[in-house]
Amino acid sequence: VIGNPQQAAESASRSTSYEDIGGLRPQLQRIREMIELPLRYPEVFEQLGIDAPKGVLLHGPPGCGKTLIARAIAHETEANFYSISGPEIIHKFYGESEAHLRKIFEEAARKGPSIIFLDEIDAIAPRRENTVGEVEKRVVAQLLALMDGLAKRQQLIVIAATNLPNLLDPALLRPGRFDREIAIPIPDRIGREEILSVHSRGMPLSADVDMRHLAAITHGFVGADLEALCR
C-alpha cells in the first residue's frame, strides 16, 4: 500500500475506542450489529443461510464522526484496518488505479478479519454518466467487481464515507454492495454535551465551566467543531 496507510491508520485506531464517540449511540449500535457480528461470528450467518453485509455506507456532514467510527470499530474488533482516501487511488497511468485497489482488497482478504475504509468515496466512484475521465469510470467498474467478489471472502467488510451521497454511482448502492446506509447526523444538545465531555476528559477545568450551558448554546456544531472549541 503506497505510503503504508494501514500502519498509520492502525496506530490512530489503537487509541480510538467506543468511549471516544459521543452523541451517536443509536447509529453506533446499528453499525456494531452490521460490522462486528460478521467479523466475530460469521457462523451465525451460515446457520441462517444468508450472506453477511459486505458494505456499509456512512453519510453525513463533514466533521460528524464518520472516520472516527470506522477507526473505533477496527480497534474494538481487533481487525486489520486499511484506510483509502479518494486522491490516493487515482493514478494517471492506464490500469494503475485499478491494480492499486485490487492489491489492497487482496491483502485485506488474505489477512482477515479486515476492514477497508474508503474515505470520500464520491471522489473514487462518482456517477459514470457525469464523469469525463476514463480513469474514474474504470475505477468504478473495478470497485463494483471487487464488491461482487466479496461474497466468496469471509471476514472482510468495506465501510465507505461521504458527505455527498447523491454524487455516488447508483450501481454501488444496489443490494450486495453498499446496501446498508447509515446517516450520521449533526448532534443534538445531549449529544453535544457527551462530545464536550469526551474532548475535555483529563483537562483541568475550573469550577465555573458549565458543559450543559456550552452544549445548549452550540446549536449546529458537529464533533470537529466541539473538539476545536475544547482546544
Side-chain angles (χ1 to χ4, degrees):
V1 179
I2 291 174
N4 207 348
Q6 184 207 351
Q7 281 183 356
E10 275 181 348
S11 61
S13 69
R14 270 190 207 113
S15 57
T16 307
S17 67
Y18 293 139
E19 283 74 49
D20 298 322
I21 300 171
L24 293 171
R25 210 160 286 162
Q27 290 80 11
L28 198 57
Q29 188 59 41
R30 278 188 66 202
I31 294 165
R32 286 182 69 178
E33 282 172 14
M34 286 178 203
I35 295 169
E36 274 191 38
L37 275 177
L39 288 178
R40 285 188 168 172
Y41 311 107
E43 65 278 0
V44 171
F45 292 89
E46 284 169 30
Q47 210 171 344
L48 292 170
I50 57 170
D51 287 333
K54 295 295 174 191
V56 178
L57 178 68
L58 309 178
H59 58 86
C64 60
K66 300 183 291 293
T67 310
L68 187 71
I69 285 172
R71 288 192 169 144
I73 286 168
H75 171 66
E76 295 277 355
T77 54
E78 296 177 351
N80 293 308
F81 188 65
Y82 297 81
S83 180
I84 308 166
S85 64
E88 205 174 78
I89 284 293
I90 306 298
H91 294 274
K92 64 178 177 179
F93 297 115
Y94 192 89
E96 206 174 320
S97 306
E98 301 94 299
H100 188 45
L101 254 183
R102 279 197 305 275
K103 183 183 166 192
I104 293 168
F105 271 76
E106 281 162 15
E107 190 183 333
R110 198 172 62 248
K111 291 185 175 177
S114 300
I115 291 172
I116 295 175
F117 178 59
L118 300 169
D119 205 1
E120 308 295 344
I121 193 174
D122 48 278
I124 304 171
R127 285 176 179 270
R128 281 171 288 184
E129 67 265 26
N130 302 340
T131 305
V132 180
E134 281 301 308
V135 178
E136 287 86 350
K137 288 178 184 173
R138 292 201 313 269
V139 168
V140 175
Q142 179 66 78
L143 189 54
L144 294 174
L146 287 167
M147 291 299 293
D148 288 341
L150 285 184
K152 303 173 197 73
R153 296 170 180 165
Q154 290 297 315
Q155 295 192 301
L156 173 57
I157 281 186
V158 185
I159 305 175
T162 180
N163 338 324
L164 306 162
N166 298 335
L167 298 187
L168 286 184
D169 194 280
L172 269 177
L173 305 177
R174 79 145 176 77
R177 291 167 184 161
F178 289 103
D179 51 354
R180 313 296 164 94
E181 290 184 41
I182 296 180
I184 309 295
I186 292 172
D188 59 9
R189 186 189 60 74
I190 296 163
R192 291 195 297 273
E193 199 175 330
E194 279 180 26
I195 294 165
L196 284 166
S197 66
V198 165
H199 287 303
S200 61
R201 239 183 352 219
M203 283 183 182
L205 299 173
S206 65
D208 62 347
V209 176
D210 185 358
M211 287 299 177
R212 190 166 291 180
H213 174 66
L214 284 174
I217 61 169
T218 47
H219 180 75
F221 278 46
V222 293
D225 298 326
L226 294 167
E227 185 185 7
L229 173 70
C230 287
R231 277 208 304 272

